[in-house]
Amino acid sequence: MKVSRLFFALPLLVTTVVANSYVTPDRSGSCYIFKDNKLSKRGICLISAEMSQGHEYRDLSFEGKIYELYFNSNISPIAVKLNGVRAKFYYRDSRFYKIISASSLKEGDPPLNCYKTKNLDVCYKDFN
């Protein structure tokens, strides 16, 4: 009897979990690596993203490496990770690479989304 209950409950559980998450199609973007606040590398990258109930996961495939980004807005302070290491999220101006605040963002001029750890500073911009 317990097996039949599980058999009927499992599809409902899977539907509930899947309904609250989604994967976006892979897309092209522009990736940037900064060292000591100076641009080190720049180029085209592939951005893969998945979102689920306040959690955002992005993989940036750039020059043979994959940079794993994580953003959780469900907790305070917001949890941000780069390659599994706690990171700081910030914005840079997409033309001059200057660090900017969220309040200075302008419509129509998308910024670079950046993740910084002690050893690595990775930014990206979607082409969308």
Side-chain angles (χ1 to χ4, degrees):
M1 193 68 148
K2 290 182 181 180
V3 173
S4 65
R5 286 184 195 166
L6 180 61
F7 180 75
F8 289 110
L10 190 58
L12 179 61
L13 177 64
V14 170
T15 304
T16 303
V17 171
V18 172
N20 292 320
S21 65
Y22 62 94
V23 176
T24 61
D26 291 350
R27 58 196 182 278
S28 295
S30 190
C31 286
Y32 306 79
I33 306 292
F34 289 87
K35 291 188 179 172
D36 298 324
N37 208 27
K38 292 184 173 80
L39 182 64
S40 172
K41 294 180 184 178
R42 177 182 72 162
I44 304 297
C45 61
L46 181 67
I47 302 171
S48 304
E50 181 179 333
M51 293 162 210
S52 174
Q53 300 179 355
H55 301 270
E56 284 187 37
Y57 303 90
R58 292 189 194 278
D59 286 342
L60 306 177
S61 299
F62 179 56
E63 293 191 349
K65 294 182 183 177
I66 296 178
Y67 299 96
E68 298 172 348
L69 309 177
Y70 171 74
F71 191 91
N72 181 353
S73 60
N74 288 331
I75 59 174
S76 181
I78 293 173
V80 178
K81 292 184 180 180
L82 169 59
N83 293 339
V85 176
R86 187 144 306 286
K88 178 184 175 191
F89 178 79
Y90 68 96
Y91 296 105
R92 284 185 183 266
D93 179 85
S94 60
R95 285 192 238 168
F96 304 109
Y97 310 130
K98 184 177 108 178
I99 296 173
I100 56 175
S101 66
S103 62
S104 66
L105 296 177
K106 299 174 188 169
E107 191 173 325
D109 188 18
L112 303 182
N113 298 295
C114 301
Y115 290 72
K116 181 179 183 69
T117 65
K118 183 177 181 180
N119 301 322
L120 189 58
D121 202 343
V122 176
C123 301
Y124 72 95
K125 179 173 72 169
D126 285 330
F127 286 155
N128 298 339

